[in-house]
Amino acid sequence: MKKTSLISALFICVTISVFAQKKWSETPKETFNLIKNQGGQSLGYSPMSGVKILTINGLAFKDLNKNDKLDKFEDWRLSADVRSKDLATKLSIEEIAGLMLYSSHQSIPARAGGYFAGTYNGKPFKAGETDPTDLTDQQKKFLKDDNLRHVLLTTVQTPEIVAQWNNKLQAFCEGIGFGIPANNSTDPRHGTRAKAEYDAASGGEISMWPNSLGMAATFNPALVQKFGEVAAAEYRALGITTALSPQVDIATDPRWARFNGTFGESPLLSAAMGQAYCDGFQTTKNALTGWGFGSVNAMVKHWPGGGTGEGGRDAHYGSGKFAVYPGNNFNAHLIPFLQGAFKLKGKTMMASAVMPYYTISWNQDTKNGENVGNSYNKYLINDLLRTKYKYDGVVCTDWGITGEHKLLDSFLDGRSWGVENLSEVDRHYKILMNGVDQFGGNNDAKPIIAAYQKGVAELGEAKMRARMEQSAVRLLKNIFRVGVFENPYLNPEETKAIVGKPAFMKDGYEAQLKSVVLLKNQKQTLPITSKKTVYVPKRFSPASRNFLGVETPASTDYPVSIDLVKKYYNVTDNADEADFALVFIQNPTATIGYNKEDLKNGGNGYFPINLQYGDYTATEAREKSIAGGDPLEKSNDRGYKNKTTSTTNISDAQLVAETKAKMKDKPVIVSIFTSNPMVFSEIEKDAAAIILNFGVQDQALLEIISGKAEPSALLPMQMPANMITVEKQAEDVPYDMIPHKDSDGNTYDFGFGMNWKGVIKDSRVLKFKK
């Protein structure tokens, strides 16, 4: 018998002899014990954490603070509100400060170097030697020394490994102080692997779904709620209790780099999808309050909307820090929050957390006139979100906003937009006094404690203690409601069975099929139901570098699994032998809209963001920028009129033209993966049929092309006729571009899509285009 199991068995014998009249049963697991209360909550605890079990009227409770009595916060019969208020009064300022931290990105296991690096007993991870389920030195430090309890997970090696890591993490937390469990979280992790083959009988590491823009293309909130339910089950099996999603920003500027994480440009569609998403994630079926062991907190983002960056630039970068509203349409961007995420149909009532964006919402502070990042803006957080709209959930800053701003074009730069002149402590103090509860990406409690001390000096200890407890209650409530105070532990075998199980994979795959848009079908080219011969040209992928600086070399290869294509058609490398061609490309790859090399030539560094494949000169751009001002810049003008920009994948447009020339009069079908609206005029004329997807497996595309599934999705955004209409549109207004009109006379407007019968005309468009 293992040492852990022996200790567990001995412990059970003792508890049975002492509590002979108990109404609960206890089962030992490999790393934790499970107590099942008759008619009550099941309790999981580690025999190594020192936690005692109390029996009151035959029911078991965890004595988390080890004081031999049942405190209110330990009594699972009480409400989360009562329990969180009780515990908040008991915590020290240092412990509350720890709750306010949200960790930097944690990879399981930690990488040996780079952004997600960590060490184990002072050494980097080494496969075959390091136990990947162990806690890193850094994790032990921020859990114990900084009292951090909100952990952001990124990559995980396998579901079973993260389950075992979770158990070690929770046992570590259970043995410290008041035994507050970790609230693990994640950014969306249900994306697809394009070349992965779908097999209805097989499972996977996690179910694969289209991204948010693809879900929006279904115009079906019920599908999104189903996703939320499936994803919540998989998250809980991985030990994840908070989703850093959904992203309900209205994507009103087509150039925005985060467009594909949204539900498109419709305020009403975004509201309906966000509402369904949160209901699916947060609701435990048959639970009295809706909250329970099946719930995952939803952190909706980004208040008050992040899709209006000037020129389409993104606020992860100093060059994109300003959100502008030339159409005076600020209030429309609140709709997905006020009518969606904050007004749920389910019993949980509202998204339990919200994240403001990095942006400075230019000239929208009508009370104080401050142009500072949204979390720093008292008007946006205290006056609007907290007071006018009565939001009392957790408010968490976006990641890294209290860091020093050093570079305009770096993803890893600090993002203290508008308050660059303040000290780190003063930044924390300003955010805290606005009504924000938590600091994203901050593992260090010292600046929060210093901010508290500053408040004591200015306002008195009683007022600052009350302010800290106010946030503690909100933060603790979200941990109590999902049940991890009772049982944060996982059975790795159950995790393996749940994550990516066949039923979930099937749900995701069917959603993928429903997310593909048929844009063009000249002379009913599609579907091609017989096993004809297809020519699939190889695609050139230019060299690239991701936001962390990791480089991918250029390559030329088949853009799809040829073995998979052969299951549907005969394949040839000779266009003359083919009946039709199938070309796989991606939307034009834009830049961030800034290039510091321009500074050497006397420019301001700013360039247009291009949505067409060919070079683009911004002759119709506004003369001067609406917003500007940065300590690293000499000029407040961020305009780029008459500047020219290129895309790295112009070869995609050339591939379509070259294939059309090879095929002569035979049909060319173009399959496009897109993350943004794009200009179609360069390629549409050469395509007999066009299908558009937002992140699906290639097999889903082949199912539609072959007629085994029928397209039903609609465009969740406009496709611009040209770059002039892109420049003329207002960053904050939806539906204000001239859409592309194709050679068949169809207009690629919001809500456009086709099936085998032709243009789809149903009530979905009328319902959501307002």
Side-chain angles (χ1 to χ4, degrees):
M1 181 180 288
K2 292 183 178 180
K3 183 178 180 181
T4 302
S5 300
L6 177 60
I7 293 172
S8 301
L10 291 172
F11 187 84
I12 292 168
C13 292
V14 172
T15 55
I16 290 175
S17 64
V18 174
F19 304 120
Q21 303 300 315
K22 71 185 186 323
K23 296 180 181 178
W24 45 268
S25 62
E26 184 169 36
T27 305
K29 300 293 182 183
E30 184 178 356
T31 57
F32 67 98
N33 288 339
L34 184 65
I35 296 173
K36 295 183 179 180
N37 281 296
Q38 183 179 338
Q41 298 285 2
S42 294
L43 310 181
Y45 70 97
S46 168
M48 308 304 291
S49 69
V51 165
K52 301 177 181 178
I53 300 299
L54 304 173
T55 295
I56 311 292
N57 298 326
L59 297 175
F61 301 87
K62 294 164 70 173
D63 184 14
L64 290 166
N65 61 351
K66 309 173 186 68
N67 66 351
D68 296 317
K69 69 176 185 177
L70 182 65
D71 295 283
K72 287 182 179 180
F73 83 91
E74 297 165 334
D75 190 344
W76 45 259
R77 297 169 299 183
L78 300 177
S79 70
D81 188 56
V82 170
R83 298 175 72 186
S84 58
K85 288 178 179 177
D86 177 62
L87 181 52
T89 63
K90 293 175 166 61
L91 297 179
S92 68
I93 291 300
E94 289 75 15
E95 288 166 324
I96 294 176
L99 285 176
M100 291 179 165
L101 301 176
Y102 222 124
S103 84
S104 57
H105 299 74
Q106 304 295 306
S107 182
I108 313 300
R111 297 181 183 179
Y115 189 58
F116 302 125
T119 58
Y120 300 82
N121 295 321
K123 298 179 180 179
F125 178 82
K126 187 174 182 180
E129 293 185 10
T130 312
D131 185 345
T133 70
D134 280 349
L135 303 185
T136 65
D137 301 328
Q138 292 75 21
Q139 289 161 1
K140 291 175 182 178
K141 180 184 182 301
F142 65 56
L143 292 170
K144 185 176 181 180
D145 297 348
D146 292 292
N147 299 294
L148 184 149
R149 289 298 181 272
H150 293 79
V151 182
L152 174 58
L153 301 184
T154 54
T155 58
V156 298
Q157 194 172 101
T158 68
E160 301 98 297
I161 284 174
V162 79
Q164 294 174 62
W165 172 86
N166 169 81
N167 290 350
K168 292 181 179 180
L169 171 80
Q170 298 294 7
F172 189 91
C173 294
E174 194 173 72
I176 302 172
F178 289 89
I180 299 172
N183 180 4
N184 298 330
S185 68
T186 181
D187 284 305
R189 59 191 316 121
H190 281 83
T192 61
R193 287 177 285 115
K195 293 186 179 182
E197 186 171 358
Y198 170 70
D199 180 353
S202 70
E205 291 192 355
I206 200 163
S207 59
M208 293 190 284
W209 297 69
N211 63 25
S212 294
L213 198 54
M215 291 189 200
T218 70
F219 280 57
N220 183 359
L223 180 148
V224 175
Q225 182 158 343
K226 178 65 176 178
F227 163 72
E229 293 168 357
V230 169
E234 293 183 306
Y235 278 13
R236 290 307 301 261
L238 294 168
I240 294 168
T241 47
T242 292
L244 301 187
S245 54
Q247 185 184 336
V248 299
D249 312 85
I250 309 170
T252 46
D253 192 285
R255 300 162 290 191
W256 189 32
R258 301 196 68 179
F259 201 106
N260 68 332
T262 74
F263 293 116
E265 65 179 307
S266 163
L268 295 183
L269 181 59
S270 296
M273 294 302 197
Q275 181 185 66
Y277 192 108
C278 294
D279 271 328
F281 266 94
Q282 293 191 168
T283 304
T284 295
K285 293 181 179 178
N286 302 319
L288 185 63
T289 63
W291 290 104
F293 285 98
S295 300
V296 172
N297 294 291
M299 184 180 289
V300 63
K301 53 192 186 184
H302 303 90
W303 177 267
T308 67
E310 184 163 20
R313 296 184 294 270
D314 180 64
H316 276 90
Y317 303 90
S319 57
K321 67 199 292 187
F322 298 108
V324 295
Y325 298 86
N328 297 315
N329 203 36
F330 175 84
N331 288 336
H333 290 260
L334 305 184
I335 290 174
F337 298 93
L338 305 182
Q339 297 183 28
F342 297 169
K343 194 176 182 181
L344 304 184
K345 293 180 179 179
K347 293 179 181 179
T348 64
M349 300 178 68
M350 68 177 186
S352 66
V354 63
M355 180 188 295
Y357 204 37
Y358 297 115
T359 45
I360 294 172
S361 296
W362 189 254
N363 289 344
Q364 298 308 303
D365 181 350
T366 58
K367 185 176 181 179
N368 306 306
E370 272 198 307
N371 279 315
V372 293
N374 292 332
S375 288
Y376 290 102
N377 193 294
K378 185 176 181 181
Y379 172 74
L380 293 177
I381 303 301
N382 180 71
D383 298 354
L384 285 187
L385 182 62
R386 291 297 194 195
T387 305
K388 182 176 181 178
Y389 299 119
K390 304 185 186 312
Y391 182 77
D392 195 39
V394 167
V395 177
C396 177
T397 75
D398 215 326
W399 261 235
I401 73 165
T402 58
E404 292 297 320
H405 171 41
K406 300 177 181 178
L407 296 169
L408 283 160
D409 61 344
S410 172
F411 183 87
L412 301 179
D413 189 40
R415 303 178 181 99
S416 50
W417 307 149
V419 294
E420 294 91 346
N421 61 318
L422 295 182
S423 69
E424 184 182 31
V425 171
D426 285 345
R427 290 172 195 158
H428 281 78
Y429 183 64
K430 184 174 178 61
I431 290 171
L432 186 65
M433 300 313 292
N434 286 345
V436 175
D437 306 297
Q438 204 163 27
F439 298 85
N442 186 354
N443 295 6
D444 185 0
K446 289 191 290 292
I448 301 175
I449 296 169
Y452 165 78
Q453 293 167 344
K454 177 182 174 71
V456 169
E458 291 188 2
L459 306 170
E461 186 174 2
K463 186 169 184 177
M464 279 308 296
R465 172 76 200 192
R467 171 66 194 91
M468 297 291 278
E469 284 190 22
Q470 182 184 44
S471 285
V473 169
R474 292 171 181 149
L475 292 160
L476 288 168
K477 193 182 298 184
N478 285 357
I479 307 178
F480 277 114
R481 292 194 293 200
V482 296
V484 287
F485 266 92
E486 279 57 71
N487 183 20
Y489 297 99
L490 303 172
N491 182 330
E493 288 302 314
E494 291 179 0
T495 293
K496 184 178 179 180
I498 292 171
V499 178
K501 72 179 184 180
F504 292 168
M505 298 296 284
K506 182 175 183 291
D507 290 335
Y509 185 70
E510 289 177 350
Q512 293 179 46
L513 292 171
K514 294 175 182 176
S515 73
V516 177
V517 182
L518 176 63
L519 285 179
K520 185 177 183 181
N521 196 19
Q522 198 170 63
K523 298 179 181 179
Q524 284 71 52
T525 298
L526 297 179
I528 300 175
T529 56
S530 58
K531 197 166 186 178
K532 294 185 176 181
T533 300
V534 63
Y535 168 60
V536 181
K538 291 183 177 181
R539 177 178 178 266
F540 172 71
S541 297
S544 62
R545 177 182 297 177
N546 70 11
F547 62 92
L548 295 177
V550 179
E551 296 185 351
T552 300
S555 63
T556 300
D557 200 356
Y558 290 112
V560 64
S561 168
I562 292 298
D563 289 338
L564 181 59
V565 177
K566 287 178 179 177
K567 293 187 176 183
Y568 295 84
Y569 304 107
N570 300 314
V571 177
T572 180
D573 285 329
N574 186 345
D576 293 334
E577 298 174 352
D579 297 306
F580 71 101
L582 183 51
V583 183
F584 291 85
I585 60 174
Q586 297 182 7
N587 63 295
T589 303
T591 66
I592 65 171
Y594 183 82
N595 186 344
K596 59 187 175 185
E597 292 298 316
D598 181 58
L599 298 173
K600 298 178 181 179
N601 298 320
N604 62 0
Y606 292 89
F607 280 80
I609 295 175
N610 192 3
L611 300 183
Q612 67 184 31
Y613 291 103
D615 290 357
Y616 162 64
T617 301
T619 57
E620 303 300 320
R622 58 176 61 108
E623 291 288 342
K624 291 186 176 181
S625 65
I626 294 173
D630 188 282
L632 303 182
E633 294 181 314
K634 298 177 181 179
S635 171
N636 289 345
D637 182 16
R638 296 185 162 200
Y640 51 80
K641 186 177 176 67
N642 294 322
K643 289 186 178 179
T644 301
T645 189
S646 303
T647 52
T648 59
N649 64 328
I650 188 174
S651 53
D652 278 355
Q654 295 167 346
L655 184 63
V656 174
E658 291 167 359
T659 304
K660 174 61 177 174
K662 290 180 180 179
M663 294 298 292
K664 301 180 176 65
D665 294 328
K666 293 180 289 187
V668 175
I669 299 165
V670 178
S671 174
I672 307 173
F673 163 72
T674 190
S675 56
N676 285 78
M678 56 179 281
V679 175
F680 273 85
S681 58
E682 297 158 300
I683 61 170
E684 178 267 315
K685 61 184 182 300
D686 291 327
I690 300 174
I691 57 174
L692 192 72
N693 80 89
F694 309 95
V696 301
Q697 292 167 258
D698 292 334
Q699 188 170 352
L701 303 175
L702 291 166
E703 290 282 289
I704 287 176
I705 292 167
S706 63
K708 294 183 178 181
E710 184 172 12
S712 60
L714 308 172
L715 286 176
M717 72 286 208
Q718 293 182 313
M719 293 296 179
N722 49 49
M723 283 302 297
I724 293 177
T725 193
V726 171
E727 294 290 0
K728 296 294 185 182
Q729 58 90 38
E731 284 92 339
D732 59 323
V733 177
Y735 324 127
D736 62 342
M737 294 189 294
I738 301 171
H740 174 75
K741 188 173 184 179
D742 71 14
S743 54
D744 289 342
N746 291 319
T747 302
Y748 297 177
D749 204 348
F750 175 87
F752 173 76
M754 304 179 73
N755 56 23
W756 302 144
K757 296 177 182 178
V759 177
I760 299 171
K761 296 180 180 179
D762 59 31
S763 60
R764 290 180 290 173
V765 180
L766 296 177
K767 183 177 181 180
F768 294 117
K769 186 177 181 180
K770 291 181 182 178

